[in-house]
């Protein structure tokens, strides 16, 4: 089977983490998000993957190449300027089979793709949209269906009290290639605003495939952390690159933990890290490779990328630290702080909750 992945967006909500890389490459439990997605797709029999790129295209292509090592074949299609979700698919039309999946490239899910494809075929649908339930649909695109699951209406961001369903567009579709005939080439065009409503207007069979499989959109710092904490608690395991080992708390190769340090809860530490005397790690914590946590530091509920140094007696809680950053002695870093890559925080600095620190800056 074939899938097209939409990975051309700028990921503005995830800044400053996406200032130097793309959303699809941010690490989830120390592996690029896309690596997990490829593993999941390959296990579901999807091994022919078309990636539509626009923002920082080289980040993905230089890492994955043709994809051989990941059990999938990759084809890259570039946009000079962002064409929107449906415009990007139109732009890749020449590589597409008659029927294929489309994925928003920021969704972590363990949806049953085989069952979705079978449903699409049985119904003779032109398009099938995966739906997922959410507690508050007011920030999403809601999809109203009949009892036969045929789509009746799309409602973008309904007021909470006006939403007739809590099932939202989960950003995964099965499409027949001929639906692209109605999409103008080289034009910004969106699924939710243009293509799907147009199909309904023309009375084309558009169906919905609701599922309560694990689903999360990693597009904000809070959700980016949440997906990793969920995985550490055993949720969504079958969407990991290699479910047997990736989601397990533990220390990587050559990493050391001082005898006086303490570890509580689910903690993942990458390779070549050192955790010094009297350090306290209180999970969920995800730490990349080559990090040094110096004496007396405390880290709780945080995600730390590669090559990070945390100074003596520093205190970090509920934050994200980009690669190649250094946090000085005695600093305190509060809830919701997001640091880009290459940040230096001087000794004794207090970063107030929610602060965003741009890459390659010193505070
Ligand atoms: P924000 O700026 O934070 O909204 O993120 P985004 O635009 O990167 O992502 P959004 O959630 O809006 O889009 C869903 C998916 O579609 C993401 O995986 C994006 O990478 C992708 N996407 C959005 N716009 C385009 C586009 O114009 N071209 C391509 N190829 N992909 C896109």
């Amino acid at each position: 089977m074939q899938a097209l992945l939409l990975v051309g967006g700028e990921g503005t909500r995830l800044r400053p983490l996406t200032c130097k890389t793309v959303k699809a490459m941010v690490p989830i439990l120390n592996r690029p998000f896309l690596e997990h997605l490829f593993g999941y797709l390959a296990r579901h029999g999807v091994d022919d993957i078309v990636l539509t790129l626009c923002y920082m295209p080289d980040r993905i292509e230089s890492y994955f190449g043709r994809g051989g090592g990941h059990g999938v074949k990759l084809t890259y299609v570039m946009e000079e300027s962002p064409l929107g979700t449906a415009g990007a698919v139109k732009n890749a039309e020449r590589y597409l089979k008659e029927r294929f999946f489309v994925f928003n490239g920021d969704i972590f899910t363990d949806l049953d793709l085989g069952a979705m494809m079978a449903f699409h075929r049985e119904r003779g649908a032109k398009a099938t949209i995966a739906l997922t339930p959410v507690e508050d649909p007011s920030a999403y695109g809601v999809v109203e269906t009949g009892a036969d699951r045929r789509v009746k209406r799309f409602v973008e961001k309904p007021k909470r009290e006006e939403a007739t369903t809590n099932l939202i567009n989960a950003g995964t579709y099965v499409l027949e290639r001929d639906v692209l005939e109605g999409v103008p080439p080289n034009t910004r065009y969106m699924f939710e605003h243009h293509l799907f409503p147009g199909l309904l207007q023309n009375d084309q069979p558009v169906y919905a495939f609701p599922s309560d499989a694990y689903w999360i959109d990693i597009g904000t710092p809070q959700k980016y952390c949440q997906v990793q904490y969920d995985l550490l608690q055993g949720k969504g395991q079958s969407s990991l690159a290699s479910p047997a080992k990736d989601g397990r708390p533990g220390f990587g190769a050559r990493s050391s933990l001082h005898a006086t340090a303490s570890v509580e809860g689910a903690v993942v530490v990458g390779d070549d890290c050192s955790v010094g005397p009297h350090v306290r790690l209180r999970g969920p914590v995800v730490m990349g490779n080559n990090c040094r946590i110096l004496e007396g530091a405390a880290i709780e509920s945080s995600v730390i990328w590669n090559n990070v140094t945390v100074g003596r007696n520093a205190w970090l809680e509920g934050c994200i630290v980009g690669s190649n950053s250094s946090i000085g002695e005695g600093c305190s870093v509060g809830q919701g702080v997001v640091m880009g890559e290459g940040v230096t925080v001087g000794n004794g600095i207090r970063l107030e909750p929610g602060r965003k620190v741009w890459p390659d800056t010193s505070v």
Side-chain angles (χ1 to χ4, degrees), residues 35-295:
E35 200 167 320
H36 294 293
L37 189 51
F38 293 159
Y40 157 77
L41 289 172
R43 281 194 300 281
H44 283 254
V46 181
D47 56 2
D48 176 359
I49 295 176
V50 177
L51 293 127
T52 61
L53 311 174
C54 189
Y55 176 69
M56 294 192 193
D58 56 303
R59 295 294 190 284
I60 297 178
E61 196 166 357
S62 64
Y63 187 89
F64 288 108
R66 295 289 128 199
H70 300 275
V72 290
K73 175 187 139 243
L74 303 179
T75 305
Y76 300 95
V77 184
M78 219 72 83
E79 283 152 61
E80 281 186 10
S81 60
L83 291 173
T85 47
V89 181
K90 176 73 178 177
N91 191 49
E93 193 173 11
R94 62 194 178 282
Y95 298 107
L96 296 172
K97 295 182 173 160
E98 252 168 60
R99 182 176 295 131
F100 54 92
F101 286 99
V102 173
F103 276 81
N104 275 359
D106 53 2
I107 302 296
F108 216 91
T109 181
D110 56 12
L111 179 69
D112 182 344
L113 295 180
M116 183 173 174
M117 182 59 88
F119 172 84
H120 175 89
R121 285 171 193 265
E122 275 162 25
R123 302 293 160 118
K126 284 288 180 195
T128 298
I129 304 169
L131 304 186
T132 190
V134 290
E135 205 190 303
D136 175 10
S138 60
Y140 297 95
V142 164
V143 182
E144 292 179 359
T145 68
D148 60 354
R149 297 201 200 155
R150 191 162 170 160
V151 173
K152 294 206 288 203
R153 199 160 76 106
F154 297 97
V155 188
E156 270 305 300
K157 303 193 170 105
K159 287 198 182 122
R160 198 169 184 169
E161 60 282 9
E162 285 169 11
T164 53
T165 165
N166 68 339
L167 290 170
I168 62 152
N169 177 345
T172 302
Y173 318 119
V174 182
L175 296 185
E176 298 294 301
R177 192 181 53 206
D178 58 16
V179 301
L180 298 176
E181 284 165 15
V183 179
N186 300 316
T187 306
R188 193 170 163 77
Y189 212 72
M190 304 297 283
F191 278 112
E192 58 279 29
H193 303 309
H194 308 116
L195 180 61
F196 290 146
L199 290 174
L200 289 195
Q201 239 171 16
N202 294 327
D203 209 24
Q204 295 291 316
V206 178
Y207 279 86
F209 185 75
S211 162
D212 53 13
Y214 182 78
W215 182 92
I216 190 166
D217 157 2
I218 67 156
T220 62
Q222 186 255 333
K223 297 276 186 65
Y224 167 68
C225 291
Q226 187 62 48
V227 65
Q228 301 185 74
Y229 303 162
D230 285 351
L231 289 163
L232 287 176
Q233 284 172 9
K235 294 185 197 163
Q237 288 286 308
S238 66
S239 44
L240 285 163
S242 20
K245 61 184 174 74
D246 279 358
R248 292 220 196 118
F251 276 58
R254 299 169 301 280
S255 286
S256 62
L257 175 71
H258 193 274
T260 57
S262 69
V263 177
E264 269 175 58
V267 172
V268 170
V269 173
D271 297 340
D272 301 298
C273 293
S274 73
V275 176
H278 306 290
V279 167
R280 280 168 299 141
L281 300 179
R282 186 170 295 165
V285 168
V286 181
M287 192 187 300
N289 298 328
N290 231 345
C291 294
R292 290 192 320 136
I293 315 301
L294 303 185
E295 183 169 0

